[in-house]
Amino acid sequence: KPYDALVRDLIRDAHTIFASPKFIHIGFSDEGRSQHPQGSYAVMRQGDLWMRYLARTSSWVKETGARTWAWFDYSWGMKDFLQDCPRDIVYSNFKRLSDKRIFNRFSQVVKAGCDAVPFLHADSDADALAKLSEKRVLGIMKEVTA
C-alpha cells in the first residue's frame, strides 16, 4: 500500500508539473531477469502480476485526465497479453521492428485495436512500420545518435 500510494502521488505530481500532458509514460519495461544481470538483488513483476499492475497504474493515470503510454516488450512472451491488455493504453516497442518475430507481435497488438507509437532504431524498422495500420499508429519515436 505505501508503494502504491507513492506511485499514485508521483503520477499526480508529474501531471501537475508538466501542465496536464496528454500522455504519461509509465515505463513497464525492464521487468525481466535479462535487464538485471549484474545486481545482487532484483525484484520484478511477472506474468499476471505484471498485467494487473499495468491496469492499476493506468487507472491512476486516467484519474489525472491523461492517457497511459507504456513499453510492452516484457509482454512479448505472455500467452494471453492480447486477450487481457487494456486497449486504452498507447503501447511502444523497444526491440527492433525489423526482427520478424517482434514485428509480428507488434502488428498483432495494433490489429487487436491498441494504439501504438513505434520506436524506430534504424531504416529497416521504418520499412517494417509501413506495413502497419496507419490509423492505430499515433506517431513514431526515432533513435538519434550524435
Side-chain angles (χ1 to χ4, degrees):
K1 289 185 180 182
Y3 177 80
D4 286 356
L6 173 68
V7 171
R8 193 175 194 177
D9 287 347
L10 288 170
I11 289 169
R12 281 192 215 134
D13 290 350
H15 189 262
T16 300
I17 291 167
F18 292 101
S20 303
K22 186 174 179 179
F23 302 98
I24 295 179
H25 197 290
I26 59 169
F28 272 74
S29 57
D30 298 335
E31 294 281 338
R33 188 157 180 74
S34 63
Q35 285 84 21
H36 305 281
Q38 304 298 322
S40 298
Y41 179 74
V43 176
M44 60 205 89
R45 297 170 286 252
Q46 297 182 59
D48 186 49
L49 179 59
W50 184 90
M51 185 63 80
R52 286 194 328 260
Y53 209 76
L54 175 68
R56 179 184 297 158
T57 305
S58 182
S59 73
W60 299 330
V61 171
K62 285 183 210 170
E63 288 174 359
T64 70
R67 189 167 179 197
T68 305
W69 186 354
W71 298 114
F72 76 112
D73 292 294
Y74 169 76
S75 65
W76 295 129
M78 291 177 71
K79 185 178 96 181
D80 298 328
F81 178 77
L82 290 175
Q83 174 184 319
D84 299 333
C85 71
R87 299 296 196 264
D88 58 343
I89 293 176
V90 176
Y91 295 99
S92 289
N93 60 299
F94 188 76
K95 297 179 180 176
R96 295 181 181 273
L97 289 178
S98 55
D99 177 308
K100 189 178 257 187
R101 186 178 66 85
I102 301 302
F103 174 78
N104 287 340
R105 184 64 166 172
F106 194 80
S107 180
Q108 288 174 346
V109 169
V110 172
K111 286 177 185 173
C114 298
D115 290 333
V117 177
F119 180 65
L120 307 181
H121 294 271
D123 291 339
S124 57
D125 287 342
D127 295 342
L129 174 64
K131 299 173 188 172
L132 293 174
S133 165
E134 291 181 24
K135 72 179 185 177
R136 289 287 177 197
V137 176
L138 304 182
I140 62 169
M141 292 182 287
K142 192 163 184 173
E143 186 171 52
V144 177
T145 55

